[in-house]
Amino acid sequence: MSSSNSLMDNLFQRSLEDLIKGFRLQLLGESAYISRALEEIRREIKVTDLSTKSTALHKLTYLAALHGVDMSWAAFHAVEVVSSPRFQHKRIGYQAITQSFNDQTSVMLLITNQVRKDLNSVNEFEASLALECLSRIGTHDLARDLTPEVFTLLGSSKTFVRKKAIGVVLRVFEKYHDAVKVCFKRLVENLESSDPQILSAVVGVFCELATKDPSSCLPLAPEFYKILVDSRNNWVLIKVLKIFAKLASIEPRLGKKVAEPICEHMRRSVAKSLVFECVRTVVSSLSDQEAALKLAVAKIREFLVEDDPNLKYLGLHALSIVAPKHLWAVLENKEVVVKALSDEDPNVKLEALHLLMAMVNEDNVSDISRILMNYALKSDPFFCNEIIYSVLSACSRNAYEIVVDFDWYLSLLGEMARIPHCQRGEEIEHQLVDIGMRVRDARPQLVRVSWALLSDPALLGNLFLHPILSAAAWVSGEYAEFSKNPYETVEALLQPRTDLLPPSIKAIYIQSVFKVLVFCLGSYFSAEEPISSSLAQESSSVNAFAYESILNLVNVIELGLGPLSGTHDVEVQERAKNVLGFIGMIREEISEKVNNEAEACRVTAFMEDVFSDDLGPVSATAQEKVCVPDGLELKETLMDLEEICGEFLKPVESDKISFSVSKLRIRDEQEASSSSSHPHEGGAGAASLLEHRKRHGMYYLTSQKDDPDSNVTLNDYPLANELANEISVDLFKPKRKPSKPRPVVVKLDDGDESRSKGKTNPEAGNEDESLSRAIQTALVVKNKGKEKAQEGEESSRIVNHTSLEMKKKKKKKKKNGERSSKDKSRRESEVAATTEQVIIPDFLL
Amino acid sequence: MIKAVMMMNTQGKPRLAKFYDFLPVEKQQELIRGVFSVLCSRPENVSNFLEIDSLFGPDSRLVYKHYATLYFVLVFDGSENELAMLDLIQVLVETLDKCFSNVCELDIVFNYSKMHTVLDEIVFGGQVLETSSAEVIRAVEEISKLEAASNAISLVPNSVSGWRGR
């Protein structure tokens, strides 16, 4: 009965072709059609008849590849189909397996024997199917178990099978390093094959091996050299060039040797792909070979003037590889690069932009930036932002190394903010603040630019510009003394459209208003004091505030902040209330003829003190300078911390700490200056912190007298305690334009980056290392073998050895302990072998 | 190494997709869609290369070619040459052209399994193994013959013979 059912299934089963036709005719929508087809497949695939099953599997494979249907559930059926004696079924089965199996597939173990059987098949096409399968899904176990078969096929007389066996070696080596010992010798022998197909395959494998670990292929350099000189097959030559590019990077002497044949190919070949590969090899790895480099640059030039956009793009790409070492090559082609900026191909444009930025130096930076800003105005949003980003990063590189005229640069930043497509607000924000902190001489211009940004109501509507505005607001508060007209600044900060800002930025606006107010009051009071007016420093350009103007200012602020004291955002509300409270305190006394003792004057002086310290940049390594005390475990996770001391933890949140700590500092300062006024802060938290500090003083950064951090608002720009030791002031370099010397840029110790780059995880790349070790061992064996000149015997011995080993392993699976100890000893011997110097042939010298 | 081969039509419907590293099907579909969205936004007469790190991870490049209603796409890493990959697309198309005499999208749609046979002869586990279309066609014809022969042996399904035997 069941068999008659399956017959019906078989006769009326829809083939893959029917399924595909159905897709084109279906009326019920694609997903409905797919789910109907899937239902059908699920039924058909369970049938015992292999034809029906394989057709169902074929349909499923199709749906999985093109329509994203999950087929992992059919893994076992794929194993069934692959075991069919019929070639067609086998093909379908293998296709399903290569497409859907991975390391986690549980039935993977079941295919080993089938794959072995097919590898041994006399039918080369069956063997080819099995090889394809192994090359795609080979796991460690499969690679280990099938190494002997792969070894046999490497010597097959049929090219069709042998080239695929060579291809599969890559996967086998990668998954099972010990296979190198077995197969490497045969692989190398294939390098001498006269068959172009075999040669192409084996060179391809070595190219991959050299990419993973160049040093392991170095001893084979003579063989590759021979191919480089003799071969006329472009595919092979391209791969050999790739290998030499890798080898030359670790063995500089090779460069001299291979430069000549590479030049020869460059001159001779008409194939653009080969010429380009030669060029790339020369510019990336042989750039110290002058003649070769000259020829390569000439070839690049030919590419650049071609009409084919592909060649133009690749030419520019090659130029960008040369640029860091040999800028002259780019400068020679300056016109082409600039022209390429307006190319219609986005790739070409981008590549041209990178090249242009590589050419930037302190003399031409303003010209190039001007050109680019013009392009940015005309370009599409993506390219526009790429331009802005490149200019920003080129100019800020290495603490604004190439910027001499900061007034110009700051105006440029202001211009960028006004480009309609600009979305790089955060980067500009960072640079505005950063320049403020680093370059003292640029502050007046910075304040001017900020004021222009703040007073433009149009900018408030653009979401991407909000970060810039927040920086501008901070700058005009922090450096209020440079403001031409504080009254206008305050007006700009309080304009009605600031309602469009998010609360966090709004809070910065209010804080800046506060700072400006304090500054104005300060100069108002100090102007009235006869003694300190002589001390009124050079900075106070707006020295004399009349009583009316101060009153006016206070009124404007009160008017502007009044509504905000009822806002829902706590931060904004609190800050608004702070300012209003401060105004309330001093308001009465402004009008009186003040003496030094007046409350208002003292409070103002105190606030001025709070705001007066400069913020400086923080070194990226500041934290590292604090040495880790003994017994402090930093790497342990703190997951269970909450359990242990949940309640205790709650009040000590991170930003609160910084908040109160800085307040504490204020108090310290006050105590030092024996001021009678007490700060109005919550006692309990601060007291416990003080206690904490006493007990664990070593974890706190040392507070110095000139502690720059006393600004409570700016959590974004944290402590810079270690600064004093680290600041190294750039010396003036003689400039071509002595009329305008470059201002001092505060720069922290360089080498920050290189240090962090140098630290690589020693664990990483372990896999590759052991593979390369295996290859090196194999090479040592090979060289010894050559000496003995008993190659035939050797290879057969290896086969015997490995097959013996396999058998042994199978037996020993039960005795685990013994086996692992054996493994260990083997590993040790391997290590010993690699410590032997790898022999570099005379050829190199 | 070649990471993926794709063919899709100008509406974004995939016609063939092969990823040489295992990827879950959802990820595959996502990548196909991602590639198409980049391709369809590119104007005519521009270069055939794309930097595609955002989709396929670092050091991945993409070469595509537009024929009639189809995009042919190859994704690969730094150990392949861009122009050689462009040539490889040409080899593939030439081979298909010879297989189907004047190949069109419909041939590719209906000969899904033959497409794979052709491709597998050219690209083997991510490596380029064959670049001569004559060699590829010879192998493909052999394989087709073999399939036909294995079918002919038992045109009557096993189940039928089993049923008759009773």
Side-chain angles (χ1 to χ4, degrees):
Chain A
M1 189 60 196
S2 69
S3 58
S4 70
N5 259 347
S6 76
L7 171 67
M8 295 306 277
D9 276 338
N10 193 308
L11 285 179
F12 295 104
Q13 186 183 25
R14 291 200 295 173
S15 68
L16 176 61
E17 193 159 319
D18 299 332
L19 181 81
I20 296 170
K21 273 186 190 143
F23 259 111
R24 305 177 69 79
L25 298 172
Q26 42 98 0
L27 301 167
L28 25 68
E30 200 174 276
S31 59
Y33 183 76
I34 290 176
S35 56
R36 277 244 317 255
L38 260 181
E39 242 170 68
E40 219 171 73
I41 289 168
R42 279 179 191 276
R43 202 178 57 241
E44 291 164 1
I45 211 165
K46 291 196 187 101
V47 171
T48 47
D49 175 45
L50 276 175
S51 294
T52 317
K53 199 190 273 291
S54 70
T55 308
L57 187 67
H58 202 189
K59 288 193 284 189
L60 183 61
T61 317
Y62 173 84
L63 289 178
L66 296 189
H67 296 277
V69 170
D70 174 54
M71 65 175 291
S72 55
W73 56 271
F76 183 72
H77 300 295
V79 176
E80 288 179 307
V81 170
V82 94
S83 64
S84 161
R86 282 164 62 183
F87 183 75
Q88 195 191 17
H89 298 167
K90 234 185 235 313
R91 232 178 69 76
I92 291 169
Y94 272 122
Q95 198 187 344
I97 287 175
T98 51
Q99 196 176 307
S100 66
F101 278 29
N102 62 24
D103 291 355
Q104 270 78 51
T105 307
S106 53
V107 294
M108 183 72 94
L109 294 171
L110 302 179
I111 63 169
T112 312
N113 275 323
Q114 185 60 43
V115 175
R116 179 178 293 132
K117 209 177 118 196
D118 290 329
L119 284 176
N120 289 329
S121 161
V122 284
N123 184 331
E124 63 200 71
F125 296 102
E126 281 184 1
S128 143
L129 286 179
L131 284 169
E132 164 87 19
C133 171
L134 189 57
S135 80
R136 296 274 299 279
I137 60 150
T139 58
H140 174 265
D141 288 353
L142 271 178
R144 186 194 58 214
D145 296 342
L146 299 173
T147 298
E149 279 75 19
V150 171
F151 175 77
T152 317
L153 291 178
L154 273 178
S156 164
S157 58
K158 294 173 189 154
T159 308
F160 185 78
V161 179
R162 190 152 105 196
K163 70 178 182 194
K164 293 192 175 182
I166 291 168
V168 90
V169 158
L170 194 62
R171 178 89 185 191
V172 173
F173 280 7
E174 185 190 327
K175 294 289 173 187
Y176 176 62
H177 302 326
D178 283 353
V180 174
K181 287 187 214 153
V182 186
C183 300
F184 197 73
K185 196 165 161 296
R186 277 224 170 147
L187 193 63
V188 174
E189 278 166 13
N190 279 311
L191 271 178
E192 273 137 38
S193 163
S194 55
D195 187 327
Q197 288 179 311
I198 300 289
L199 193 62
S200 163
V202 72
V203 169
V205 169
F206 275 111
C207 179
E208 294 297 329
L209 289 176
T211 309
K212 285 198 183 99
D213 174 50
S215 61
S216 62
C217 291
L218 196 54
L220 291 170
E223 277 87 345
F224 297 134
Y225 183 79
K226 201 163 159 284
I227 298 171
L228 180 68
V229 175
D230 295 343
S231 177
R232 284 292 172 269
N233 180 329
N234 291 340
W235 290 90
V236 172
L237 285 172
I238 286 172
K239 288 286 179 182
V240 172
L241 284 168
K242 294 241 180 229
I243 295 174
F244 274 118
K246 293 284 180 311
L247 296 188
S249 62
I250 57 159
E251 177 51 83
R253 286 175 297 174
L254 263 179
K256 215 167 130 198
K257 186 85 183 165
V258 295
E260 191 38 46
I262 292 179
C263 288
E264 187 53 42
H265 285 305
M266 259 193 280
R267 284 188 214 105
R268 171 194 65 83
S269 179
V270 286
K272 296 280 185 220
S273 54
L274 180 59
V275 173
F276 176 66
E277 198 56 53
C278 291
V279 167
R280 179 155 54 192
T281 310
V282 170
V283 297
S284 60
S285 305
L286 310 174
S287 56
D288 43 351
Q289 302 296 320
E290 224 168 281
L293 187 67
K294 282 229 172 81
L295 183 59
V297 173
K299 286 286 170 192
I300 291 178
R301 208 181 167 74
E302 281 174 28
F303 277 32
L304 289 179
V305 296
E306 292 265 1
D307 284 334
D308 185 347
N310 287 334
L311 297 181
K312 200 187 278 176
Y313 166 71
L314 290 176
L316 291 170
H317 182 69
L319 268 191
S320 69
I321 303 175
V322 210
K325 274 192 185 168
H326 301 275
L327 199 61
W328 59 267
V330 188
L331 292 172
E332 267 182 12
N333 296 296
K334 203 165 44 187
E335 295 79 25
V336 188
V337 173
V338 173
K339 221 177 108 196
L341 266 186
S342 43
D343 201 283
E344 58 177 333
D345 189 339
N347 290 344
V348 172
K349 282 202 291 193
L350 218 54
E351 220 39 82
L353 177 63
H354 294 159
L355 282 171
L356 207 57
M357 292 335 282
M359 285 191 277
V360 167
N361 62 30
E362 57 191 57
D363 294 324
N364 61 17
V365 63
S366 69
D367 293 334
I368 290 187
S369 303
R370 186 165 319 115
I371 297 174
L372 286 179
M373 284 304 116
N374 284 337
Y375 273 109
L377 281 169
K378 288 182 284 183
S379 323
D380 56 302
F382 172 76
F383 192 57
C384 168
N385 281 298
E386 278 300 318
I387 291 179
I388 293 176
Y389 177 72
S390 334
V391 173
L392 285 173
S393 55
C395 290
S396 64
R397 196 188 304 140
N398 212 355
Y400 310 94
E401 199 174 38
I402 57 168
V403 179
V404 176
D405 183 354
F406 275 90
D407 289 1
W408 160 80
Y409 186 56
L410 288 167
S411 332
L412 182 75
L413 289 180
E415 253 176 67
M416 280 182 190
R418 290 196 163 77
I419 292 175
H421 293 310
C422 175
Q423 296 172 1
R424 295 285 179 180
E426 271 156 31
E427 183 59 27
I428 298 176
E429 170 199 22
H430 171 252
Q431 292 199 7
L432 285 175
V433 174
D434 198 39
I435 292 175
M437 292 194 293
R438 284 179 198 267
V439 193
R440 192 176 289 271
D441 296 348
R443 286 174 191 168
Q445 172 70 4
L446 184 60
V447 172
R448 272 196 294 280
V449 169
S450 300
W451 184 80
L453 289 171
L454 290 175
S455 56
D456 187 346
L459 300 182
L460 283 162
N462 185 343
L463 212 64
F464 293 111
L465 300 186
H466 286 172
I468 306 179
L469 291 176
S470 102
W474 180 79
V475 161
S476 41
E478 183 68 19
Y479 307 118
E481 66 264 33
F482 300 113
S483 175
K484 271 213 189 94
N485 187 343
Y487 182 78
E488 281 181 358
T489 308
V490 168
E491 261 190 336
L493 287 169
L494 291 173
Q495 61 181 297
R497 269 175 72 92
T498 53
D499 286 347
L500 295 168
L501 293 168
S504 59
I505 296 176
K506 184 91 185 159
I508 294 175
Y509 268 62
I510 297 171
Q511 188 71 10
S512 292
V513 169
F514 193 19
K515 285 182 188 167
V516 175
L517 174 65
V518 167
F519 165 74
C520 292
L521 284 172
S523 42
Y524 170 67
F525 284 129
S526 62
E528 299 204 339
E529 294 163 29
I531 311 154
S532 55
S533 67
S534 63
L535 290 174
Q537 309 93 343
E538 71 288 336
S539 62
S540 42
S541 54
V542 263
N543 217 347
F545 277 99
Y547 169 64
E548 285 79 28
S549 61
I550 279 289
L551 195 65
N552 221 345
L553 185 71
V554 170
N555 285 338
V556 166
I557 295 174
E558 239 179 346
L559 200 67
L561 293 183
L564 293 177
S565 60
T567 183
H568 286 304
D569 188 83
V570 283
E571 186 77 12
V572 173
Q573 190 196 45
E574 194 169 69
R575 296 204 180 182
K577 287 224 159 133
N578 272 347
V579 181
L580 290 173
F582 179 77
I583 289 176
M585 199 159 61
I586 50 121
R587 191 181 185 93
E588 312 275 285
E589 296 177 47
I590 302 176
S591 55
E592 293 169 17
K593 278 290 166 192
V594 253
N595 50 12
N596 223 358
E597 300 304 309
E599 179 82 359
C601 186
R602 236 179 32 240
V603 173
T604 308
F606 167 62
M607 287 311 297
E608 254 190 316
D609 216 34
V610 168
F611 291 143
S612 66
D613 274 325
D614 260 0
L615 285 178
V618 184
S619 162
T621 56
Q623 183 64 49
E624 281 174 28
K625 300 232 160 115
V626 186
C627 51
V628 181
D630 288 340
L632 180 63
E633 195 59 63
L634 285 178
K635 284 186 182 140
E636 208 170 290
T637 65
L638 296 177
M639 293 284 274
D640 49 348
L641 197 62
E642 209 162 322
E643 264 174 49
I644 300 169
C645 44
E647 229 172 280
F648 181 71
L649 272 177
K650 265 173 206 161
V652 202
E653 279 158 23
S654 59
D655 24 5
K656 274 188 190 160
I657 290 181
S658 67
F659 187 78
S660 338
V661 165
S662 36
K663 275 210 169 172
L664 271 178
R665 295 238 175 81
I666 296 166
R667 200 163 71 176
D668 287 349
E669 272 169 34
Q670 280 176 338
E671 275 163 9
S673 62
S674 68
S675 162
S676 59
S677 73
H678 278 281
H680 355 265
E681 48 175 295
S688 74
L689 261 167
L690 199 63
E691 181 72 3
H692 188 261
R693 187 174 191 168
K694 251 184 222 162
R695 255 194 287 166
H696 305 286
M698 63 195 314
Y699 297 109
Y700 283 82
L701 299 173
T702 50
S703 75
Q704 292 160 355
K705 269 248 167 108
D706 56 343
D707 188 343
D709 176 76
S710 45
N711 191 332
V712 182
T713 56
L714 281 154
N715 295 333
D716 304 7
Y717 301 97
L719 300 178
N721 288 325
E722 304 276 308
L723 209 61
N725 323 333
E726 289 170 18
I727 294 177
S728 69
V729 177
D730 266 1
L731 291 172
F732 279 104
K733 290 173 200 152
K735 287 282 141 43
R736 258 156 263 177
K737 289 177 239 164
S739 57
K740 201 161 192 187
R742 182 169 191 258
V744 178
V745 180
V746 176
K747 197 174 155 191
L748 301 172
D749 45 355
D750 18 17
D752 286 2
E753 282 176 37
S754 61
R755 208 181 310 159
S756 55
K757 266 181 204 164
K759 270 186 212 158
T760 46
N761 192 357
E763 307 277 310
N766 225 1
E767 276 279 298
D768 286 346
E769 257 173 48
S770 52
L771 175 58
S772 67
R773 201 187 299 151
I775 293 176
Q776 285 179 2
T777 319
L779 278 169
V780 170
V781 170
K782 183 199 156 215
N783 284 335
K784 280 180 188 161
K786 262 190 186 165
E787 281 163 28
K788 286 176 190 163
Q790 293 172 330
E791 286 170 28
E793 212 184 309
E794 174 103 1
S795 66
S796 64
R797 206 191 314 151
I798 288 174
V799 187
N800 291 339
H801 175 67
T802 44
S803 54
L804 265 177
E805 211 170 72
M806 299 290 165
K807 278 176 203 160
K808 269 185 208 160
K809 245 176 218 169
K810 271 176 203 158
K811 275 183 202 161
K812 288 220 169 133
K813 261 184 186 166
K814 287 165 205 163
K815 305 173 196 170
N816 246 339
E818 212 175 307
R819 189 176 149 221
S820 73
S821 74
K822 197 198 163 195
D823 271 3
K824 204 192 265 174
S825 69
R826 193 197 307 155
R827 222 171 297 140
E828 273 164 10
S829 70
E830 208 171 89
V831 172
T834 48
T835 48
E836 276 180 49
Q837 186 71 40
V838 175
I839 302 146
I840 300 172
D842 302 341
F843 158 80
L844 289 173
L845 305 169
Chain B
M1 289 278 260
I2 293 176
K3 294 183 178 181
V5 180
M6 296 174 213
M7 292 178 203
M8 56 185 85
N9 71 4
T10 39
Q11 266 99 55
K13 280 216 159 75
R15 294 306 185 200
L16 184 142
K18 202 153 187 161
F19 295 85
Y20 288 96
D21 292 317
F22 176 80
L23 289 173
V25 277
E26 301 82 30
K27 180 78 186 159
Q28 292 184 2
Q29 292 293 309
E30 190 192 314
L31 289 176
I32 294 172
R33 277 195 299 272
V35 166
F36 177 71
S37 71
V38 181
L39 290 188
C40 66
S41 66
R42 285 179 68 81
E44 289 286 328
N45 303 324
V46 296
S47 60
N48 299 89
F49 310 126
L50 282 177
E51 305 262 329
I52 197 115
D53 295 4
S54 55
L55 288 176
F56 287 88
D59 192 30
S60 33
R61 278 153 243 195
L62 181 150
V63 163
Y64 73 98
K65 212 154 187 187
H66 186 181
Y67 288 97
T69 58
L70 280 176
Y71 286 116
F72 287 72
V73 181
L74 286 180
V75 184
F76 52 94
D77 65 11
S79 51
E80 305 293 341
N81 178 298
E82 290 84 348
L83 291 169
M85 288 297 109
L86 208 54
D87 288 343
L88 194 70
I89 294 183
Q90 188 63 38
V91 170
L92 179 63
V93 174
E94 260 173 39
T95 315
L96 294 179
D97 215 30
K98 282 178 196 160
C99 277
F100 302 112
S101 57
N102 252 335
V103 64
C104 68
E105 191 185 341
L106 277 186
D107 291 319
I108 289 167
V109 171
F110 285 113
N111 294 285
Y112 180 74
S113 124
K114 195 162 186 179
M115 292 296 301
H116 274 278
T117 317
V118 172
L119 185 60
D120 286 349
E121 285 312 309
I122 298 174
V123 182
F124 174 89
Q127 302 167 68
V128 182
L129 270 201
E130 188 54 74
T131 50
S132 129
S133 58
E135 287 288 333
V136 175
I137 285 175
R138 196 182 317 150
V140 170
E141 275 168 4
E142 289 280 322
I143 290 172
S144 311
K145 250 186 248 164
L146 204 61
E147 280 190 342
S150 76
N151 257 359
I153 296 167
S154 55
L155 257 182
V156 185
N158 287 339
S159 53
V160 176
S161 47
W163 179 52
R164 275 197 188 144
R166 246 176 255 170

